[in-house]
mmCIF file of all heavy atoms in Angstrom:
data_model
loop_
_atom_site.group_PDB
_atom_site.id
_atom_site.type_symbol
_atom_site.label_atom_id
_atom_site.label_comp_id
_atom_site.label_asym_id
_atom_site.label_seq_id
_atom_site.Cartn_x
_atom_site.Cartn_y
_atom_site.Cartn_z
ATOM 1 N N THR A 108 139.003 57.544 111.673
ATOM 2 C CA THR A 108 139.383 56.141 111.839
ATOM 3 C C THR A 108 138.956 55.336 110.695
ATOM 4 O O THR A 108 137.785 55.394 110.216
ATOM 5 C CB THR A 108 138.699 55.581 113.112
ATOM 6 O OG1 THR A 108 139.026 56.444 114.218
ATOM 7 C CG2 THR A 108 139.064 54.176 113.379
ATOM 8 N N VAL A 109 139.894 54.595 110.079
ATOM 9 C CA VAL A 109 139.623 53.707 108.936
ATOM 10 C C VAL A 109 139.981 52.296 109.331
ATOM 11 O O VAL A 109 141.168 52.035 109.740
ATOM 12 C CB VAL A 109 140.487 54.130 107.740
ATOM 13 C CG1 VAL A 109 140.249 53.192 106.531
ATOM 14 C CG2 VAL A 109 140.194 55.538 107.319
ATOM 15 N N PRO A 110 139.004 51.396 109.304
ATOM 16 C CA PRO A 110 139.278 50.012 109.769
ATOM 17 C C PRO A 110 140.334 49.325 108.821
ATOM 18 O O PRO A 110 140.377 49.663 107.651
ATOM 19 C CB PRO A 110 137.947 49.270 109.621
ATOM 20 C CG PRO A 110 136.961 50.317 109.341
ATOM 21 C CD PRO A 110 137.627 51.584 108.943
ATOM 22 N N PRO A 111 141.158 48.488 109.346
ATOM 23 C CA PRO A 111 142.116 47.792 108.522
ATOM 24 C C PRO A 111 141.419 46.956 107.403
ATOM 25 O O PRO A 111 140.352 46.348 107.651
ATOM 26 C CB PRO A 111 142.844 46.832 109.503
ATOM 27 C CG PRO A 111 142.513 47.286 110.843
ATOM 28 C CD PRO A 111 141.269 48.019 110.728
ATOM 29 N N GLY A 112 141.922 47.037 106.217
ATOM 30 C CA GLY A 112 141.370 46.315 105.049
ATOM 31 C C GLY A 112 140.114 46.914 104.503
ATOM 32 O O GLY A 112 139.472 46.344 103.598
ATOM 33 N N ALA A 113 139.799 48.175 104.910
ATOM 34 C CA ALA A 113 138.646 48.852 104.378
ATOM 35 C C ALA A 113 138.868 49.229 102.939
ATOM 36 O O ALA A 113 139.939 49.567 102.499
ATOM 37 C CB ALA A 113 138.342 50.110 105.218
ATOM 38 N N THR A 114 137.780 49.219 102.136
ATOM 39 C CA THR A 114 137.806 49.688 100.776
ATOM 40 C C THR A 114 136.525 50.425 100.502
ATOM 41 O O THR A 114 135.553 50.224 101.207
ATOM 42 C CB THR A 114 137.919 48.487 99.799
ATOM 43 O OG1 THR A 114 136.820 47.644 99.905
ATOM 44 C CG2 THR A 114 139.208 47.722 99.914
ATOM 45 N N LEU A 115 136.544 51.267 99.525
ATOM 46 C CA LEU A 115 135.326 52.009 99.091
ATOM 47 C C LEU A 115 134.721 51.254 97.931
ATOM 48 O O LEU A 115 135.466 50.605 97.129
ATOM 49 C CB LEU A 115 135.702 53.397 98.655
ATOM 50 C CG LEU A 115 136.196 54.328 99.745
ATOM 51 C CD1 LEU A 115 136.609 55.691 99.171
ATOM 52 C CD2 LEU A 115 135.174 54.510 100.829
ATOM 53 N N ASP A 116 133.399 51.301 97.812
ATOM 54 C CA ASP A 116 132.714 50.688 96.664
ATOM 55 C C ASP A 116 132.782 51.737 95.539
ATOM 56 O O ASP A 116 132.040 52.786 95.588
ATOM 57 C CB ASP A 116 131.301 50.351 97.017
ATOM 58 C CG ASP A 116 130.605 49.656 95.916
ATOM 59 O OD1 ASP A 116 131.244 49.218 94.900
ATOM 60 O OD2 ASP A 116 129.373 49.469 95.981
ATOM 61 N N ILE A 117 133.689 51.568 94.541
ATOM 62 C CA ILE A 117 133.836 52.494 93.457
ATOM 63 C C ILE A 117 133.552 51.780 92.135
ATOM 64 O O ILE A 117 134.104 50.724 91.873
ATOM 65 C CB ILE A 117 135.220 53.068 93.448
ATOM 66 C CG1 ILE A 117 135.438 53.814 94.803
ATOM 67 C CG2 ILE A 117 135.479 53.997 92.289
ATOM 68 C CD1 ILE A 117 136.842 54.279 94.992
ATOM 69 N N ARG A 118 132.711 52.423 91.302
ATOM 70 C CA ARG A 118 132.455 51.887 90.003
ATOM 71 C C ARG A 118 132.845 52.951 88.949
ATOM 72 O O ARG A 118 132.128 53.867 88.622
ATOM 73 C CB ARG A 118 130.934 51.548 89.902
ATOM 74 C CG ARG A 118 130.600 50.535 90.952
ATOM 75 C CD ARG A 118 129.375 49.691 90.621
ATOM 76 N NE ARG A 118 129.220 48.761 91.696
ATOM 77 C CZ ARG A 118 128.103 48.707 92.399
ATOM 78 N NH1 ARG A 118 127.077 49.485 92.143
ATOM 79 N NH2 ARG A 118 127.990 47.835 93.365
ATOM 80 N N PRO A 119 134.037 52.735 88.375
ATOM 81 C CA PRO A 119 134.468 53.720 87.405
ATOM 82 C C PRO A 119 134.024 53.442 85.967
ATOM 83 O O PRO A 119 133.685 52.275 85.640
ATOM 84 C CB PRO A 119 136.065 53.530 87.454
ATOM 85 C CG PRO A 119 136.245 52.144 87.927
ATOM 86 C CD PRO A 119 135.051 51.759 88.757
ATOM 87 N N SER A 120 133.900 54.512 85.153
ATOM 88 C CA SER A 120 133.595 54.398 83.761
ATOM 89 C C SER A 120 134.551 55.359 83.084
ATOM 90 O O SER A 120 134.642 56.505 83.432
ATOM 91 C CB SER A 120 132.162 54.677 83.430
ATOM 92 O OG SER A 120 131.816 55.987 83.734
ATOM 93 N N CYS A 121 135.255 54.849 82.113
ATOM 94 C CA CYS A 121 136.291 55.685 81.407
ATOM 95 C C CYS A 121 136.070 55.695 79.902
ATOM 96 O O CYS A 121 135.639 54.682 79.323
ATOM 97 C CB CYS A 121 137.726 55.130 81.635
ATOM 98 S SG CYS A 121 138.187 55.141 83.371
ATOM 99 N N ASN A 122 136.186 56.865 79.290
ATOM 100 C CA ASN A 122 136.056 56.949 77.829
ATOM 101 C C ASN A 122 136.970 58.086 77.309
ATOM 102 O O ASN A 122 137.622 58.792 78.067
ATOM 103 C CB ASN A 122 134.579 57.225 77.499
ATOM 104 C CG ASN A 122 134.054 58.613 78.056
ATOM 105 O OD1 ASN A 122 134.735 59.591 77.841
ATOM 106 N ND2 ASN A 122 132.983 58.544 78.734
ATOM 107 N N ARG A 123 137.046 58.113 75.964
ATOM 108 C CA ARG A 123 138.025 59.023 75.332
ATOM 109 C C ARG A 123 137.312 60.093 74.503
ATOM 110 O O ARG A 123 137.976 60.794 73.752
ATOM 111 C CB ARG A 123 138.938 58.256 74.443
ATOM 112 C CG ARG A 123 139.853 57.354 75.239
ATOM 113 C CD ARG A 123 141.085 56.983 74.562
ATOM 114 N NE ARG A 123 141.864 58.105 74.161
ATOM 115 C CZ ARG A 123 142.826 58.049 73.263
ATOM 116 N NH1 ARG A 123 143.105 56.945 72.730
ATOM 117 N NH2 ARG A 123 143.512 59.098 72.999
ATOM 118 N N GLY A 124 136.027 60.257 74.575
ATOM 119 C CA GLY A 124 135.339 61.234 73.820
ATOM 120 C C GLY A 124 135.415 60.940 72.325
ATOM 121 O O GLY A 124 134.949 59.878 71.966
ATOM 122 N N ALA A 125 135.952 61.818 71.525
ATOM 123 C CA ALA A 125 135.934 61.648 70.091
ATOM 124 C C ALA A 125 137.088 60.785 69.579
ATOM 125 O O ALA A 125 137.133 60.315 68.468
ATOM 126 C CB ALA A 125 136.061 62.963 69.400
ATOM 127 N N ALA A 126 138.050 60.442 70.459
ATOM 128 C CA ALA A 126 139.268 59.634 69.996
ATOM 129 C C ALA A 126 138.882 58.150 70.015
ATOM 130 O O ALA A 126 137.819 57.713 70.471
ATOM 131 C CB ALA A 126 140.376 59.878 70.944
ATOM 132 N N ALA A 127 139.837 57.360 69.505
ATOM 133 C CA ALA A 127 139.627 55.905 69.514
ATOM 134 C C ALA A 127 139.445 55.411 70.957
ATOM 135 O O ALA A 127 140.064 55.900 71.841
ATOM 136 C CB ALA A 127 140.865 55.262 68.877
ATOM 137 N N PRO A 128 138.610 54.379 71.167
ATOM 138 C CA PRO A 128 138.334 53.944 72.490
ATOM 139 C C PRO A 128 139.465 53.109 73.168
ATOM 140 O O PRO A 128 139.211 52.425 74.117
ATOM 141 C CB PRO A 128 137.067 53.060 72.355
ATOM 142 C CG PRO A 128 137.184 52.587 70.927
ATOM 143 C CD PRO A 128 137.854 53.664 70.164
ATOM 144 N N GLN A 129 140.657 53.233 72.692
ATOM 145 C CA GLN A 129 141.772 52.536 73.281
ATOM 146 C C GLN A 129 143.079 53.289 72.869
ATOM 147 O O GLN A 129 143.021 54.126 72.033
ATOM 148 C CB GLN A 129 141.837 51.083 72.727
ATOM 149 C CG GLN A 129 141.944 50.972 71.222
ATOM 150 C CD GLN A 129 141.775 49.540 70.765
ATOM 151 O OE1 GLN A 129 141.396 48.691 71.510
ATOM 152 N NE2 GLN A 129 142.105 49.261 69.538
ATOM 153 N N GLY A 130 144.094 52.944 73.582
ATOM 154 C CA GLY A 130 145.365 53.552 73.337
ATOM 155 C C GLY A 130 145.751 54.683 74.295
ATOM 156 O O GLY A 130 144.862 55.161 75.046
ATOM 157 N N PRO A 131 146.932 55.081 74.299
ATOM 158 C CA PRO A 131 147.432 56.133 75.270
ATOM 159 C C PRO A 131 146.821 57.439 74.866
ATOM 160 O O PRO A 131 146.432 57.685 73.685
ATOM 161 C CB PRO A 131 148.961 56.118 75.097
ATOM 162 C CG PRO A 131 149.220 55.537 73.752
ATOM 163 C CD PRO A 131 148.073 54.578 73.498
ATOM 164 N N GLY A 132 146.847 58.399 75.787
ATOM 165 C CA GLY A 132 146.336 59.714 75.506
ATOM 166 C C GLY A 132 145.455 60.257 76.628
ATOM 167 O O GLY A 132 145.551 59.812 77.797
ATOM 168 N N GLU A 133 144.519 61.129 76.248
ATOM 169 C CA GLU A 133 143.660 61.749 77.252
ATOM 170 C C GLU A 133 142.398 61.016 77.380
ATOM 171 O O GLU A 133 141.660 60.710 76.406
ATOM 172 C CB GLU A 133 143.405 63.214 76.802
ATOM 173 C CG GLU A 133 144.642 64.038 76.660
ATOM 174 C CD GLU A 133 145.420 64.134 77.969
ATOM 175 O OE1 GLU A 133 144.823 64.354 79.016
ATOM 176 O OE2 GLU A 133 146.633 64.003 77.877
ATOM 177 N N TRP A 134 142.014 60.660 78.593
ATOM 178 C CA TRP A 134 140.819 59.938 78.953
ATOM 179 C C TRP A 134 140.016 60.758 79.974
ATOM 180 O O TRP A 134 140.599 61.634 80.658
ATOM 181 C CB TRP A 134 141.119 58.550 79.557
ATOM 182 C CG TRP A 134 141.733 57.618 78.594
ATOM 183 C CD1 TRP A 134 142.987 57.638 78.077
ATOM 184 C CD2 TRP A 134 141.087 56.461 78.054
ATOM 185 N NE1 TRP A 134 143.174 56.521 77.254
ATOM 186 C CE2 TRP A 134 141.970 55.783 77.228
ATOM 187 C CE3 TRP A 134 139.815 55.892 78.246
ATOM 188 C CZ2 TRP A 134 141.679 54.620 76.610
ATOM 189 C CZ3 TRP A 134 139.521 54.736 77.597
ATOM 190 C CH2 TRP A 134 140.488 54.080 76.759
ATOM 191 N N THR A 135 138.758 60.466 80.173
ATOM 192 C CA THR A 135 137.938 60.993 81.235
ATOM 193 C C THR A 135 137.337 59.817 81.931
ATOM 194 O O THR A 135 136.755 58.918 81.334
ATOM 195 C CB THR A 135 136.773 61.896 80.649
ATOM 196 O OG1 THR A 135 137.372 62.956 79.896
ATOM 197 C CG2 THR A 135 135.941 62.430 81.753
ATOM 198 N N CYS A 136 137.529 59.799 83.260
ATOM 199 C CA CYS A 136 136.960 58.729 84.095
ATOM 200 C C CYS A 136 136.019 59.336 85.134
ATOM 201 O O CYS A 136 136.378 60.238 85.851
ATOM 202 C CB CYS A 136 138.099 57.985 84.790
ATOM 203 S SG CYS A 136 139.151 56.996 83.713
ATOM 204 N N ASN A 137 134.821 58.808 85.122
ATOM 205 C CA ASN A 137 133.852 59.137 86.146
ATOM 206 C C ASN A 137 133.853 58.045 87.187
ATOM 207 O O ASN A 137 133.624 56.840 86.822
ATOM 208 C CB ASN A 137 132.451 59.256 85.564
ATOM 209 C CG ASN A 137 132.315 60.467 84.649
ATOM 210 O OD1 ASN A 137 132.859 61.521 84.925
ATOM 211 N ND2 ASN A 137 131.702 60.232 83.498
ATOM 212 N N LEU A 138 134.142 58.378 88.413
ATOM 213 C CA LEU A 138 134.194 57.383 89.520
ATOM 214 C C LEU A 138 132.939 57.534 90.362
ATOM 215 O O LEU A 138 132.753 58.546 91.030
ATOM 216 C CB LEU A 138 135.425 57.596 90.379
ATOM 217 C CG LEU A 138 136.769 57.621 89.607
ATOM 218 C CD1 LEU A 138 137.837 57.992 90.521
ATOM 219 C CD2 LEU A 138 136.996 56.331 88.926
ATOM 220 N N ASN A 139 132.055 56.566 90.274
ATOM 221 C CA ASN A 139 130.856 56.482 91.140
ATOM 222 C C ASN A 139 131.201 55.911 92.411
ATOM 223 O O ASN A 139 131.540 54.725 92.540
ATOM 224 C CB ASN A 139 129.731 55.721 90.450
ATOM 225 C CG ASN A 139 129.254 56.344 89.180
ATOM 226 O OD1 ASN A 139 129.362 57.547 89.005
ATOM 227 N ND2 ASN A 139 128.840 55.524 88.239
#
Side-chain angles (χ1 to χ4, degrees):
T108 303
V109 178
T114 60
L115 295 176
D116 184 12
I117 298 174
R118 301 205 178 122
S120 64
C121 300
N122 62 51
R123 293 201 59 197
Q129 59 189 12
E133 300 301 316
W134 291 73
T135 301
C136 291
N137 294 317
L138 306 174
N139 296 331

